[in-house]
Amino acid sequence: MSSERPSEVWFLTGSQELYGQETLNDVAEHARKIAAHLDATLPVRVVWKPTLTGPDAIFQTCLEANAAPQCVGVVTWMHTFSPAKMWIRGLTQLTKPMAHLHTQWNRELPWSLIDMDFMNLNQSAHGDREFGFVVARLRLEHKIVVGHWQDSDVIAELESWSRVACAVAESRRLKIVRFGGMNMREVAVTGGDRVEAEIQFGWSINGHAVGDLVKQIATVREAEVQHLVEEYEAKYVLAPALVRGGDHHENLRDAARQEIGMREFLTLGGYGAFTTTFEDLYGMNQLPGLACQRLMADGYGFGAEGDWKTAALVRLMKVMSAGRKGGVSFMEDYTYHLVNGEEKVLGAHMLEVCPSIADEKPSLEVHPLGIGGKAAPPRLVFAAAPGPSVAATLVDMGGRMRLIVHEVDAIKTEHGMPKLPVARALWIPRPNFRHGVQAWLLAGGGHHTSFSQAVTAEQLEDLAGMLGVECVRIGRSTELAALKKELRWNDRNWLGSKSAR
């Protein structure tokens, strides 16, 4: 899935009229060159804007950024001193994410040549502190990046931030379809306030009868099915039962019909994410597994059992990780290995794990499914690649959302699992199994997550900040006593703000 509009970040430079036109000309030239360098290195377009020297121009530029659909955020830099009171009116209206780049044009001081003209032009150390005060005084969520604009770590931080800004832009227009329009019966954590989610995140979450999808699947032509089956044969290692003439070849053709029909339904409706549930398969021959896996691999968000929050999170993390190695997938904490000193989590799901996280070429297999009462569905079977990963979940705490981010280390299994015909991941939670799982439970983390090696915990913290939600991060430095206090303070702060309203 690619955006119809190229995403842009606007580069806004602050100065003032005090220094005269010659200095302002230098400011503009330097800012253009910095913007051009960022434009050549970041995954978004970086658009230079004329130097801002007064409150009216700042206000107008912020309004224009808000209204520009291709603009996903702004980067601010004060080349000279820029009295920050003039930024207040504009910043209070700005709705796009902001990164404050604290840099300067020159890397080195010209020790033997430095004079007051040089000082007046190159005083970002002065101007950015003035700007930083006002942003802090306004209590605006923003990213601060410090260092020379050509440094690789500065570029990496801006690159990471710009990806999150793109995800926020996607959030504001995200449409989620729930096939069957329901969560798994009697399950608590997959529910949530859809109206509040649309108010806060922009997500439009609506249900469609499974019959609507079945009707779409019925329009798929046999030639389309045959073409897709040939793609399966070329791309995956097919189990003997699925090859032509095999006992379950028709199950594979039915899976192809499902994929084509679901893809068309999502395309026609403009949906970026979807859910299914095995408790509502009326009119379908089998639970769609392969279709969900392949649609996720193409960038769609997915949540099983009606879990629209995880479907949305998977989609946003897909946007954040576009072009990166490591993938993003719907995941579920399924079972544990509890041998002392060797504790691990085995993550999996019945069918729907995205092959973007696979360590090897997936095999395409078919096996009976003990729930749903339908035919045996084909599915891609593989193990996730080892390496540092994140498992994130979004939960509704009653009036507010909480994003919980767990840093984990995926590992290779030393044992074969020939009787477990599902895609899976094996990992060790940080800071260790016992404290990591305790922290997850304390925070109210669900059993469904969005799992990735391409998205970082810092990016997810940035995402939570831009979307205005609480974020609980569990990692190497997590201490349970401190986490309990953090959760208690967060609850009290929310209850206090609610009673004040």
Side-chain angles (χ1 to χ4, degrees):
M1 297 177 63
S2 61
S3 174
E4 296 179 359
R5 298 179 299 271
S7 297
E8 296 179 355
V9 166
W10 289 8
F11 192 80
L12 309 184
T13 309
S15 186
Q16 61 178 328
E17 300 289 351
L18 176 67
Y19 304 109
Q21 192 58 48
E22 184 178 351
T23 296
L24 289 177
N25 289 342
D26 288 339
V27 167
E29 179 186 357
H30 294 169
R32 280 195 189 96
K33 290 181 177 179
I34 293 176
H37 178 74
L38 298 179
D39 183 57
T41 53
L42 298 185
V44 295
R45 290 188 60 209
V46 178
V47 179
W48 171 85
K49 292 294 178 179
T51 306
L52 299 168
T53 59
D56 292 340
I58 293 169
F59 178 72
Q60 186 60 36
T61 300
C62 289
L63 294 184
E64 290 172 359
N66 292 342
Q70 72 277 13
C71 176
V72 300
V74 301
V75 175
T76 58
W77 172 51
M78 306 303 115
H79 191 321
T80 67
F81 189 75
S82 177
K85 195 168 80 68
M86 67 184 184
W87 283 84
I88 292 173
R89 187 155 54 102
L91 291 179
T92 54
Q93 296 301 310
L94 183 66
T95 60
K96 299 291 176 74
M98 181 178 72
H100 180 192
L101 177 58
H102 185 42
T103 189
Q104 64 183 26
W105 168 249
N106 57 298
R107 185 185 292 276
E108 299 181 21
L109 285 175
W111 302 105
S112 62
L113 301 175
I114 191 168
D115 57 16
M116 284 309 301
D117 288 338
F118 180 92
M119 295 284 278
N120 284 334
L121 175 61
N122 299 284
Q123 53 174 313
S124 298
H126 187 188
D128 273 333
R129 279 170 167 76
E130 165 76 358
F131 181 79
F133 163 72
V134 161
V135 177
R137 175 66 176 81
L138 293 173
R139 294 168 178 82
L140 297 181
E141 177 65 35
H142 66 298
K143 184 77 172 180
I144 300 174
V145 180
V146 177
H148 192 262
W149 52 276
Q150 291 177 316
D151 287 347
S152 59
D153 56 347
V154 168
I155 297 298
E157 285 193 66
L158 287 172
E159 191 257 2
S160 176
W161 169 85
S162 70
R163 288 177 173 273
V164 181
C166 288
V168 171
E170 172 67 9
S171 179
R172 301 304 181 200
R173 57 178 177 258
L174 181 61
K175 294 177 64 179
I176 306 166
V177 60
R178 305 169 72 201
F179 291 122
M182 59 178 286
N183 296 91
M184 184 176 173
R185 299 182 187 104
E186 304 297 342
V187 174
V189 75
T190 54
D193 188 336
R194 294 183 297 129
V195 173
E196 185 62 30
E198 186 158 1
I199 293 170
Q200 185 161 11
F201 306 139
W203 305 345
S204 172
I205 309 146
N206 291 302
H208 267 271
V210 174
D212 294 337
L213 176 58
V214 171
K215 184 178 179 181
Q216 185 67 54
I217 292 172
T219 68
V220 176
R221 298 186 302 272
E222 285 304 306
E224 296 177 282
V225 173
Q226 182 58 35
H227 179 76
L228 188 54
V229 168
E230 291 172 359
E231 181 180 326
Y232 295 160
E233 292 170 341
K235 193 168 186 177
Y236 309 116
V237 180
L238 266 65
L242 291 176
V243 301
R244 301 176 197 188
D247 292 342
H248 292 292
H249 184 65
E250 283 305 313
N251 297 51
L252 183 63
R253 295 183 69 85
D254 195 49
R257 289 188 193 92
Q258 288 180 335
E259 179 182 338
I260 296 166
M262 292 174 74
R263 191 181 297 275
E264 183 69 10
F265 193 104
L266 296 172
T267 300
L268 290 173
Y271 296 107
F274 67 102
T275 72
T276 61
T277 174
F278 66 86
E279 290 182 320
D280 191 351
L281 297 174
Y282 188 80
M284 302 187 74
N285 296 329
Q286 61 193 32
L287 179 64
L290 180 60
C292 297
Q293 291 179 297
R294 284 174 50 86
L295 287 165
M296 265 193 287
D298 286 341
Y300 286 94
F302 170 76
E305 297 137 30
D307 188 352
W308 52 268
K309 297 192 301 300
T310 301
L313 187 57
V314 170
R315 171 58 186 156
L316 298 187
M317 290 173 65
K318 290 282 188 183
V319 172
M320 291 159 63
S321 66
R324 281 184 170 179
K325 289 183 62 177
V328 177
S329 179
F330 171 80
M331 185 60 70
E332 179 170 278
D333 297 63
Y334 229 104
T335 191
Y336 296 141
H337 180 68
L338 289 179
V339 174
N340 285 336
E342 302 177 9
E343 294 89 346
K344 304 172 184 68
V345 178
L346 180 61
H349 207 254
M350 299 180 296
L351 305 171
E352 310 97 342
V353 175
C354 180
S356 67
I357 68 170
D359 192 29
E360 71 280 335
K361 185 176 182 178
S363 61
L364 183 49
E365 304 178 17
V366 60
H367 301 275
L369 196 62
I371 60 176
K374 297 289 182 177
R379 80 290 301 270
L380 297 172
V381 177
F382 55 85
S389 312
V390 293
T393 191
L394 190 66
V395 294
D396 190 327
M397 297 303 293
R400 81 184 196 279
M401 296 285 189
R402 172 182 289 167
L403 180 65
I404 306 169
V405 181
H406 201 164
E407 299 172 60
V408 304
D409 292 293
I411 60 172
K412 281 184 174 289
T413 178
E414 299 176 356
H415 307 280
M417 291 177 272
K419 295 185 178 181
L420 184 65
V422 296
R424 62 259 181 177
L426 187 67
W427 68 81
I428 300 172
R430 297 181 186 177
N432 55 60
F433 177 85
R434 185 182 299 274
H435 290 161
V437 172
Q438 284 178 322
W440 186 267
L441 295 174
L442 278 170
H447 56 287
H448 289 168
T449 63
S450 181
F451 179 89
S452 179
Q453 293 178 358
V455 174
T456 67
E458 182 179 358
Q459 283 182 302
L460 289 166
E461 280 190 314
D462 287 344
L463 179 68
M466 293 181 196
L467 293 177
V469 298
E470 175 189 5
C471 184
V472 175
R473 180 172 172 178
I474 304 168
R476 293 192 190 280
S477 61
T478 296
E479 296 180 357
L480 291 180
L483 177 62
K484 289 178 182 179
K485 290 179 180 178
E486 176 186 342
L487 295 171
R488 190 178 301 117
W489 291 336
N490 290 351
D491 285 338
R492 287 179 177 175
N493 287 339
W494 178 77
L495 290 171
S497 64
K498 184 180 178 183
S499 62
R501 291 195 299 268

